[in-house]
Amino acid sequence: MSAVRHYVVVTAAYWAFTLTDGALRMLVLLHFHGLGYAPAELAFLFLFYELFGVVTNLLGGWIAARLGVRVTLLAGLALQIAALGMLSALDPTWPRAASVAFVMAAQALSGVAKDLTKMSSKSAIKTLLPADAHGPLFRWVALLTGSKNALKGAGFFLGSALLTGLGFRPALWAMAGGLAVALAVALTEL
């Protein structure tokens, strides 16, 4: 596979992930706000997402060096699908504390997935350029990072539209299905 085609596949997988990741943030926030969760409870829902993202950033380079960027990208997509599936298993009859703990665990998986996917995608740029091409490398990384920010914002709107149009569980299933397609393409093309 050519380096450009490889980069296109990796970037498309990253964009699919980023769009659904932004949608998931908004979906969780709006769903639990609608259930009457207090602001502190809502904040706890995202605590492990951020904390496990930090841990993944610390260990991600080591993991990629041993297993390869392809493995970390595929693992990131698969973990996000697992996190979406886990969230869809949330039982509305559970006590509030159990629900918060369950969502925090699912968000931990999602935080790991986010940083594995992000690290893999940014590292894939290096395969396209010669080792001494620092200027173009920074431009490509800036383009990828800028697109991530725009897609995450678009994902917020997607999450609210999915919640309004489909409801909580079907929205999670739809996002998992979209990521499963991205994962299947990445598996066959990388």
Side-chain angles (χ1 to χ4, degrees):
M1 170 186 283
S2 76
V4 172
R5 186 170 172 196
H6 176 85
Y7 179 71
V8 167
V9 170
V10 169
T11 300
Y14 181 59
W15 284 349
F17 181 93
T18 301
L19 190 61
T20 59
D21 192 53
L24 179 59
R25 301 302 129 239
M26 191 56 63
L27 187 73
V28 167
L29 179 66
L30 293 175
H31 175 71
F32 286 95
H33 177 267
L35 293 175
Y37 280 58
E41 291 170 317
L42 293 172
F44 271 107
L45 296 177
F46 298 96
L47 181 67
F48 279 4
Y49 173 80
E50 298 299 340
L51 179 64
F52 280 78
V54 170
V55 171
T56 303
N57 273 324
L58 292 172
L59 299 174
W62 180 81
I63 294 167
R66 274 141 191 82
L67 302 176
V69 173
R70 178 183 186 272
V71 171
T72 55
L73 174 66
L74 298 175
L77 293 169
L79 282 173
Q80 185 74 340
I81 293 167
L84 292 166
M86 184 176 172
L87 280 170
S88 74
L90 182 67
D91 187 339
T93 64
W94 290 348
R96 195 171 275 207
S99 293
V100 168
F102 187 81
V103 172
M104 287 175 72
Q107 294 281 52
L109 279 179
S110 186
V112 170
K114 174 197 56 146
D115 283 299
L116 284 177
T117 305
K118 180 173 63 173
M119 175 202 59
S120 303
S121 301
K122 289 184 179 182
S123 297
I125 295 170
K126 289 184 175 184
T127 64
L128 282 176
L129 302 171
D132 61 342
H134 299 295
L137 176 63
F138 289 128
R139 282 192 296 276
W140 282 52
V141 169
L143 180 64
L144 186 64
T145 302
S147 69
K148 175 199 73 117
N149 294 337
L151 284 171
K152 193 122 186 188
F156 294 159
F157 290 102
L158 176 64
S160 18
L162 287 172
L163 182 61
T164 301
L166 300 177
F168 186 67
R169 267 195 189 110
L172 292 167
W173 296 333
M175 290 190 299
L179 280 179
V181 169
L183 178 59
V185 169
L187 275 168
T188 58
E189 295 292 327
L190 296 179

